[in-house]
Amino acid sequence: MIKDLKLIKYGYQFKLNAICSFVFMLIGILSVIYINIDEVPSISVLIYCSFLFFAQTASTLMYSNVIKSSPKYKEFCIMFQRIINILLFIFSFGVLFIIRFIQADSISQFNAEAGKEVAVAGIEYFIMVLYILFVYKFFIVSMIMFCTVTLFFNSIINYIPVPYNFTLLHGIGVAVLLFIITMVLSEILIRAMYKIQPSRLAQSASLRGYI
């Protein structure tokens, strides 16, 4: 897996995407630190956005002629998306946990207040992974769906009643359940769509030359 992951440095505009990913990572971390989740429920999605550039680089590599001509093309596509999904979950939730743990005045406060946010982050993770899966195949449809679902989610989340005893453990349970559902669903979708050519609307002229 590590050997295959190293191939990403040969993806289209790897250095530029790495810089953009780092910048968005900083923006996401600072936003989570300083913006109230009750005002902007999906603020942690900015951390996920840093992975969009990583996913973009991986996608260009998967669609390149060198990879597509390989007899292990299907295996490579499935493996790469699986790695992206796992790293996205571990990194994003790890950052969120560390930030909220540092900000909490006590363990009990952390346990009481972080549950809802972890659950929200799990829902955002589910939305983001589906977006990554579809955006390079069905650009217009995926963009419309992503914007619509995100806006709808932001508008209703604060009106959804949360039980008084909804603790961090409950939030982790929701997030892990969504992670499992996401992994299973993405595995099915990748196998069903790997032969579909990427949308030309998702490609620049230079990218079309690369792939």
Side-chain angles (χ1 to χ4, degrees), residues 72-116:
K72 293 187 177 182
Y73 172 60
K74 179 180 179 181
E75 177 186 332
F76 183 83
C77 290
I78 295 171
M79 179 277 302
F80 237 104
Q81 187 62 51
R82 191 183 297 149
I83 291 174
I84 291 173
N85 294 348
I86 293 172
L87 290 180
L88 175 59
F89 184 83
I90 293 174
F91 174 80
S92 302
F93 279 84
V95 168
L96 185 61
F97 265 81
I98 291 171
I99 292 173
R100 293 305 182 228
F101 184 79
I102 293 173
Q103 289 181 325
D105 295 327
S106 63
I107 297 295
S108 59
Q109 181 188 1
F110 173 67
N111 182 60
E113 295 181 356
K116 177 183 176 182

Short mmCIF file of all heavy atoms in Angstrom, two decimals, residues 72-116:
data_model
loop_
_atom_site.label_atom_id
_atom_site.label_comp_id
_atom_site.label_asym_id
_atom_site.label_seq_id
_atom_site.Cartn_x
_atom_site.Cartn_y
_atom_site.Cartn_z
N LYS A 72 -3.56 -4.09 -13.77
CA LYS A 72 -4.03 -3.92 -12.40
C LYS A 72 -4.76 -2.58 -12.22
O LYS A 72 -4.86 -2.07 -11.11
CB LYS A 72 -2.86 -4.00 -11.42
CG LYS A 72 -2.22 -5.37 -11.35
CD LYS A 72 -1.18 -5.43 -10.25
CE LYS A 72 -0.59 -6.84 -10.13
NZ LYS A 72 0.40 -6.91 -9.02
N TYR A 73 -5.29 -2.03 -13.32
CA TYR A 73 -5.95 -0.73 -13.28
C TYR A 73 -7.12 -0.71 -12.29
O TYR A 73 -7.23 0.19 -11.45
CB TYR A 73 -6.44 -0.37 -14.68
CG TYR A 73 -7.30 0.87 -14.75
CD1 TYR A 73 -6.82 2.11 -14.34
CD2 TYR A 73 -8.63 0.80 -15.20
CE1 TYR A 73 -7.61 3.24 -14.40
CE2 TYR A 73 -9.43 1.92 -15.27
CZ TYR A 73 -8.91 3.15 -14.86
OH TYR A 73 -9.70 4.26 -14.91
N LYS A 74 -7.99 -1.70 -12.36
CA LYS A 74 -9.15 -1.75 -11.47
C LYS A 74 -8.71 -1.85 -10.02
O LYS A 74 -9.21 -1.12 -9.14
CB LYS A 74 -10.04 -2.93 -11.83
CG LYS A 74 -11.27 -3.07 -10.93
CD LYS A 74 -12.12 -4.27 -11.35
CE LYS A 74 -13.33 -4.43 -10.44
NZ LYS A 74 -14.15 -5.60 -10.84
N GLU A 75 -7.76 -2.75 -9.76
CA GLU A 75 -7.26 -2.93 -8.40
C GLU A 75 -6.63 -1.64 -7.87
O GLU A 75 -6.82 -1.26 -6.71
CB GLU A 75 -6.22 -4.06 -8.40
CG GLU A 75 -5.56 -4.30 -7.06
CD GLU A 75 -4.43 -5.32 -7.16
OE1 GLU A 75 -4.50 -6.19 -8.06
OE2 GLU A 75 -3.50 -5.24 -6.34
N PHE A 76 -5.91 -0.93 -8.74
CA PHE A 76 -5.25 0.32 -8.36
C PHE A 76 -6.28 1.38 -8.00
O PHE A 76 -6.16 2.08 -6.99
CB PHE A 76 -4.36 0.80 -9.51
CG PHE A 76 -3.58 2.05 -9.19
CD1 PHE A 76 -2.39 1.97 -8.50
CD2 PHE A 76 -4.05 3.28 -9.58
CE1 PHE A 76 -1.67 3.12 -8.21
CE2 PHE A 76 -3.34 4.44 -9.29
CZ PHE A 76 -2.14 4.35 -8.60
N CYS A 77 -7.32 1.54 -8.82
CA CYS A 77 -8.36 2.54 -8.58
C CYS A 77 -9.08 2.29 -7.26
O CYS A 77 -9.30 3.22 -6.48
CB CYS A 77 -9.38 2.52 -9.72
SG CYS A 77 -8.76 3.15 -11.29
N ILE A 78 -9.45 1.04 -7.02
CA ILE A 78 -10.16 0.70 -5.79
C ILE A 78 -9.28 0.95 -4.58
O ILE A 78 -9.71 1.52 -3.57
CB ILE A 78 -10.62 -0.77 -5.84
CG1 ILE A 78 -11.65 -0.95 -6.95
CG2 ILE A 78 -11.19 -1.21 -4.50
CD1 ILE A 78 -12.02 -2.40 -7.22
N MET A 79 -8.01 0.52 -4.66
CA MET A 79 -7.09 0.66 -3.55
C MET A 79 -6.85 2.13 -3.22
O MET A 79 -6.87 2.54 -2.05
CB MET A 79 -5.77 -0.04 -3.87
CG MET A 79 -4.70 0.05 -2.79
SD MET A 79 -3.73 1.59 -2.81
CE MET A 79 -3.04 1.54 -4.46
N PHE A 80 -6.66 2.96 -4.26
CA PHE A 80 -6.35 4.36 -4.04
C PHE A 80 -7.51 5.08 -3.38
O PHE A 80 -7.32 5.87 -2.45
CB PHE A 80 -5.99 5.04 -5.37
CG PHE A 80 -4.63 5.67 -5.34
CD1 PHE A 80 -3.58 5.08 -5.99
CD2 PHE A 80 -4.41 6.85 -4.65
CE1 PHE A 80 -2.31 5.64 -5.97
CE2 PHE A 80 -3.15 7.43 -4.63
CZ PHE A 80 -2.09 6.82 -5.28
N GLN A 81 -8.74 4.82 -3.85
CA GLN A 81 -9.90 5.47 -3.24
C GLN A 81 -10.08 5.01 -1.79
O GLN A 81 -10.44 5.79 -0.92
CB GLN A 81 -11.15 5.16 -4.05
CG GLN A 81 -12.38 5.94 -3.59
CD GLN A 81 -12.21 7.43 -3.74
OE1 GLN A 81 -11.85 7.91 -4.81
NE2 GLN A 81 -12.47 8.16 -2.68
N ARG A 82 -9.79 3.75 -1.55
CA ARG A 82 -9.90 3.22 -0.19
C ARG A 82 -8.91 3.93 0.74
O ARG A 82 -9.26 4.31 1.86
CB ARG A 82 -9.61 1.72 -0.22
CG ARG A 82 -9.93 0.98 1.07
CD ARG A 82 -9.54 -0.47 0.93
NE ARG A 82 -10.31 -1.14 -0.12
CZ ARG A 82 -9.84 -2.14 -0.85
NH1 ARG A 82 -8.59 -2.55 -0.68
NH2 ARG A 82 -10.60 -2.71 -1.75
N ILE A 83 -7.70 4.14 0.26
CA ILE A 83 -6.69 4.84 1.06
C ILE A 83 -7.13 6.27 1.35
O ILE A 83 -7.01 6.76 2.48
CB ILE A 83 -5.33 4.85 0.33
CG1 ILE A 83 -4.75 3.44 0.29
CG2 ILE A 83 -4.35 5.79 1.04
CD1 ILE A 83 -3.48 3.33 -0.54
N ILE A 84 -7.65 6.96 0.34
CA ILE A 84 -8.11 8.33 0.51
C ILE A 84 -9.20 8.40 1.59
O ILE A 84 -9.18 9.26 2.47
CB ILE A 84 -8.64 8.90 -0.82
CG1 ILE A 84 -7.47 9.11 -1.80
CG2 ILE A 84 -9.36 10.24 -0.59
CD1 ILE A 84 -7.92 9.50 -3.19
N ASN A 85 -10.16 7.48 1.52
CA ASN A 85 -11.26 7.47 2.48
C ASN A 85 -10.77 7.26 3.90
O ASN A 85 -11.22 7.94 4.84
CB ASN A 85 -12.27 6.37 2.12
CG ASN A 85 -12.97 6.63 0.81
OD1 ASN A 85 -12.89 7.72 0.25
ND2 ASN A 85 -13.65 5.62 0.29
N ILE A 86 -9.85 6.33 4.07
CA ILE A 86 -9.34 6.01 5.42
C ILE A 86 -8.51 7.17 5.96
O ILE A 86 -8.68 7.58 7.12
CB ILE A 86 -8.52 4.71 5.39
CG1 ILE A 86 -9.43 3.52 5.07
CG2 ILE A 86 -7.81 4.48 6.73
CD1 ILE A 86 -8.68 2.22 4.84
N LEU A 87 -7.60 7.70 5.15
CA LEU A 87 -6.76 8.81 5.60
C LEU A 87 -7.60 10.04 5.91
O LEU A 87 -7.32 10.76 6.89
CB LEU A 87 -5.72 9.15 4.53
CG LEU A 87 -4.60 8.13 4.32
CD1 LEU A 87 -3.65 8.61 3.21
CD2 LEU A 87 -3.82 7.90 5.60
N LEU A 88 -8.61 10.30 5.10
CA LEU A 88 -9.49 11.45 5.33
C LEU A 88 -10.17 11.33 6.68
O LEU A 88 -10.24 12.30 7.44
CB LEU A 88 -10.54 11.53 4.21
CG LEU A 88 -11.63 12.60 4.34
CD1 LEU A 88 -11.01 13.98 4.41
CD2 LEU A 88 -12.59 12.51 3.16
N PHE A 89 -10.66 10.14 7.00
CA PHE A 89 -11.35 9.93 8.28
C PHE A 89 -10.39 10.08 9.45
O PHE A 89 -10.67 10.82 10.40
CB PHE A 89 -11.99 8.54 8.28
CG PHE A 89 -12.80 8.25 9.51
CD1 PHE A 89 -14.11 8.68 9.61
CD2 PHE A 89 -12.24 7.55 10.58
CE1 PHE A 89 -14.86 8.42 10.75
CE2 PHE A 89 -12.98 7.28 11.71
CZ PHE A 89 -14.30 7.71 11.81
N ILE A 90 -9.27 9.38 9.40
CA ILE A 90 -8.32 9.40 10.52
C ILE A 90 -7.77 10.79 10.77
O ILE A 90 -7.75 11.29 11.90
CB ILE A 90 -7.16 8.41 10.26
CG1 ILE A 90 -7.67 6.97 10.26
CG2 ILE A 90 -6.06 8.57 11.30
CD1 ILE A 90 -6.63 5.94 9.87
N PHE A 91 -7.32 11.46 9.70
CA PHE A 91 -6.71 12.77 9.86
C PHE A 91 -7.72 13.81 10.35
O PHE A 91 -7.48 14.53 11.32
CB PHE A 91 -6.11 13.24 8.54
CG PHE A 91 -5.58 14.65 8.59
CD1 PHE A 91 -4.34 14.92 9.14
CD2 PHE A 91 -6.33 15.70 8.09
CE1 PHE A 91 -3.86 16.22 9.21
CE2 PHE A 91 -5.86 17.00 8.15
CZ PHE A 91 -4.62 17.26 8.71
N SER A 92 -8.88 13.88 9.69
CA SER A 92 -9.86 14.91 10.01
C SER A 92 -10.40 14.78 11.42
O SER A 92 -10.49 15.76 12.16
CB SER A 92 -11.01 14.87 9.00
OG SER A 92 -10.52 15.05 7.69
N PHE A 93 -10.77 13.55 11.80
CA PHE A 93 -11.30 13.36 13.15
C PHE A 93 -10.20 13.49 14.19
O PHE A 93 -10.46 13.95 15.31
CB PHE A 93 -12.00 12.01 13.25
CG PHE A 93 -13.39 12.02 12.69
CD1 PHE A 93 -13.62 11.86 11.33
CD2 PHE A 93 -14.48 12.24 13.52
CE1 PHE A 93 -14.90 11.89 10.81
CE2 PHE A 93 -15.76 12.27 13.01
CZ PHE A 93 -15.98 12.10 11.65
N GLY A 94 -8.98 13.11 13.83
CA GLY A 94 -7.86 13.29 14.75
C GLY A 94 -7.62 14.76 15.06
O GLY A 94 -7.45 15.15 16.23
N VAL A 95 -7.62 15.59 14.01
CA VAL A 95 -7.44 17.04 14.19
C VAL A 95 -8.57 17.62 15.01
O VAL A 95 -8.35 18.42 15.93
CB VAL A 95 -7.37 17.74 12.81
CG1 VAL A 95 -7.47 19.26 12.98
CG2 VAL A 95 -6.08 17.38 12.10
N LEU A 96 -9.81 17.23 14.71
CA LEU A 96 -10.97 17.74 15.43
C LEU A 96 -10.91 17.37 16.91
O LEU A 96 -11.16 18.22 17.79
CB LEU A 96 -12.25 17.18 14.81
CG LEU A 96 -13.58 17.69 15.36
CD1 LEU A 96 -13.69 19.20 15.15
CD2 LEU A 96 -14.75 16.98 14.69
N PHE A 97 -10.55 16.14 17.21
CA PHE A 97 -10.45 15.70 18.59
C PHE A 97 -9.38 16.49 19.35
O PHE A 97 -9.60 16.92 20.48
CB PHE A 97 -10.11 14.20 18.64
CG PHE A 97 -11.31 13.32 18.76
CD1 PHE A 97 -12.07 12.99 17.65
CD2 PHE A 97 -11.69 12.81 19.99
CE1 PHE A 97 -13.18 12.18 17.77
CE2 PHE A 97 -12.79 11.98 20.12
CZ PHE A 97 -13.54 11.67 19.01
N ILE A 98 -8.22 16.65 18.74
CA ILE A 98 -7.12 17.35 19.40
C ILE A 98 -7.50 18.79 19.72
O ILE A 98 -7.27 19.29 20.83
CB ILE A 98 -5.85 17.30 18.53
CG1 ILE A 98 -5.31 15.88 18.45
CG2 ILE A 98 -4.78 18.24 19.09
CD1 ILE A 98 -4.20 15.68 17.44
N ILE A 99 -8.10 19.47 18.73
CA ILE A 99 -8.48 20.87 18.92
C ILE A 99 -9.50 21.01 20.04
O ILE A 99 -9.36 21.84 20.95
CB ILE A 99 -9.05 21.47 17.62
CG1 ILE A 99 -7.95 21.59 16.57
CG2 ILE A 99 -9.67 22.84 17.88
CD1 ILE A 99 -8.45 22.02 15.21
N ARG A 100 -10.57 20.20 20.00
CA ARG A 100 -11.61 20.31 21.01
C ARG A 100 -11.13 19.87 22.40
O ARG A 100 -11.57 20.42 23.42
CB ARG A 100 -12.83 19.48 20.60
CG ARG A 100 -13.54 20.02 19.36
CD ARG A 100 -13.93 21.47 19.54
NE ARG A 100 -14.65 22.00 18.39
CZ ARG A 100 -14.38 23.14 17.80
NH1 ARG A 100 -13.38 23.90 18.26
NH2 ARG A 100 -15.08 23.56 16.76
N PHE A 101 -10.22 18.92 22.44
CA PHE A 101 -9.67 18.48 23.73
C PHE A 101 -8.85 19.59 24.36
O PHE A 101 -8.93 19.83 25.58
CB PHE A 101 -8.82 17.23 23.54
CG PHE A 101 -8.29 16.65 24.83
CD1 PHE A 101 -9.12 15.89 25.63
CD2 PHE A 101 -6.99 16.89 25.22
CE1 PHE A 101 -8.64 15.36 26.83
CE2 PHE A 101 -6.51 16.36 26.41
CZ PHE A 101 -7.34 15.60 27.22
N ILE A 102 -8.05 20.28 23.58
CA ILE A 102 -7.24 21.39 24.08
C ILE A 102 -8.12 22.55 24.54
O ILE A 102 -7.85 23.19 25.57
CB ILE A 102 -6.25 21.87 23.00
CG1 ILE A 102 -5.21 20.78 22.72
CG2 ILE A 102 -5.56 23.17 23.41
CD1 ILE A 102 -4.30 21.09 21.55
N GLN A 103 -9.20 22.81 23.79
CA GLN A 103 -10.08 23.93 24.11
C GLN A 103 -10.95 23.67 25.34
O GLN A 103 -11.37 24.61 26.01
CB GLN A 103 -10.98 24.26 22.92
CG GLN A 103 -10.24 24.89 21.75
CD GLN A 103 -11.18 25.22 20.61
OE1 GLN A 103 -12.14 24.50 20.34
NE2 GLN A 103 -10.89 26.31 19.90
N ALA A 104 -11.25 22.42 25.64
CA ALA A 104 -12.13 22.08 26.76
C ALA A 104 -11.45 22.38 28.10
O ALA A 104 -10.24 22.18 28.25
CB ALA A 104 -12.54 20.62 26.69
N ASP A 105 -12.23 22.85 29.05
CA ASP A 105 -11.69 23.14 30.39
C ASP A 105 -11.52 21.88 31.22
O ASP A 105 -10.74 21.87 32.18
CB ASP A 105 -12.62 24.12 31.12
CG ASP A 105 -12.67 25.48 30.44
OD1 ASP A 105 -11.64 25.89 29.87
OD2 ASP A 105 -13.73 26.13 30.48
N SER A 106 -12.25 20.83 30.86
CA SER A 106 -12.16 19.57 31.61
C SER A 106 -12.58 18.41 30.71
O SER A 106 -13.18 18.61 29.65
CB SER A 106 -13.06 19.62 32.85
OG SER A 106 -14.42 19.74 32.47
N ILE A 107 -12.28 17.21 31.16
CA ILE A 107 -12.67 16.00 30.43
C ILE A 107 -14.18 15.90 30.33
O ILE A 107 -14.74 15.54 29.28
CB ILE A 107 -12.11 14.74 31.10
CG1 ILE A 107 -10.57 14.75 31.08
CG2 ILE A 107 -12.64 13.49 30.40
CD1 ILE A 107 -9.98 14.67 29.70
N SER A 108 -14.87 16.24 31.42
CA SER A 108 -16.33 16.16 31.43
C SER A 108 -16.95 17.14 30.44
O SER A 108 -17.95 16.81 29.77
CB SER A 108 -16.87 16.43 32.84
OG SER A 108 -16.47 17.71 33.30
N GLN A 109 -16.37 18.34 30.32
CA GLN A 109 -16.87 19.31 29.34
C GLN A 109 -16.62 18.81 27.92
O GLN A 109 -17.50 18.91 27.06
CB GLN A 109 -16.19 20.66 29.53
CG GLN A 109 -16.69 21.72 28.55
CD GLN A 109 -15.87 23.00 28.62
OE1 GLN A 109 -14.91 23.11 29.39
NE2 GLN A 109 -16.23 23.98 27.81
N PHE A 110 -15.46 18.25 27.69
CA PHE A 110 -15.12 17.69 26.39
C PHE A 110 -16.09 16.58 26.01
O PHE A 110 -16.61 16.52 24.90
CB PHE A 110 -13.69 17.16 26.42
CG PHE A 110 -13.27 16.41 25.19
CD1 PHE A 110 -13.14 17.05 23.97
CD2 PHE A 110 -13.01 15.05 25.26
CE1 PHE A 110 -12.75 16.35 22.83
CE2 PHE A 110 -12.61 14.34 24.13
CZ PHE A 110 -12.50 14.99 22.92
N ASN A 111 -16.38 15.71 26.97
CA ASN A 111 -17.29 14.59 26.75
C ASN A 111 -18.71 15.07 26.48
O ASN A 111 -19.43 14.51 25.64
CB ASN A 111 -17.27 13.66 27.96
CG ASN A 111 -18.16 12.45 27.77
OD1 ASN A 111 -17.97 11.67 26.85
ND2 ASN A 111 -19.15 12.31 28.64
N ALA A 112 -19.12 16.14 27.16
CA ALA A 112 -20.50 16.62 27.04
C ALA A 112 -20.74 17.42 25.77
O ALA A 112 -21.82 17.38 25.19
CB ALA A 112 -20.84 17.47 28.26
N GLU A 113 -19.72 18.17 25.33
CA GLU A 113 -19.92 19.11 24.23
C GLU A 113 -19.47 18.59 22.86
O GLU A 113 -19.90 19.11 21.83
CB GLU A 113 -19.18 20.42 24.53
CG GLU A 113 -19.74 21.16 25.74
CD GLU A 113 -19.01 22.46 26.00
OE1 GLU A 113 -18.02 22.74 25.27
OE2 GLU A 113 -19.42 23.20 26.93
N ALA A 114 -18.60 17.60 22.84
CA ALA A 114 -18.01 17.16 21.57
C ALA A 114 -18.87 16.15 20.81
O ALA A 114 -18.65 15.91 19.62
CB ALA A 114 -16.62 16.58 21.79
N GLY A 115 -19.87 15.56 21.50
CA GLY A 115 -20.66 14.52 20.87
C GLY A 115 -21.37 14.96 19.61
O GLY A 115 -21.27 14.31 18.56
N LYS A 116 -22.09 16.08 19.70
CA LYS A 116 -22.83 16.57 18.54
C LYS A 116 -21.89 16.92 17.40
O LYS A 116 -22.16 16.61 16.23
CB LYS A 116 -23.65 17.81 18.94
CG LYS A 116 -24.40 18.43 17.77
CD LYS A 116 -25.14 19.70 18.20
CE LYS A 116 -25.82 20.37 17.02
NZ LYS A 116 -26.51 21.63 17.42
#
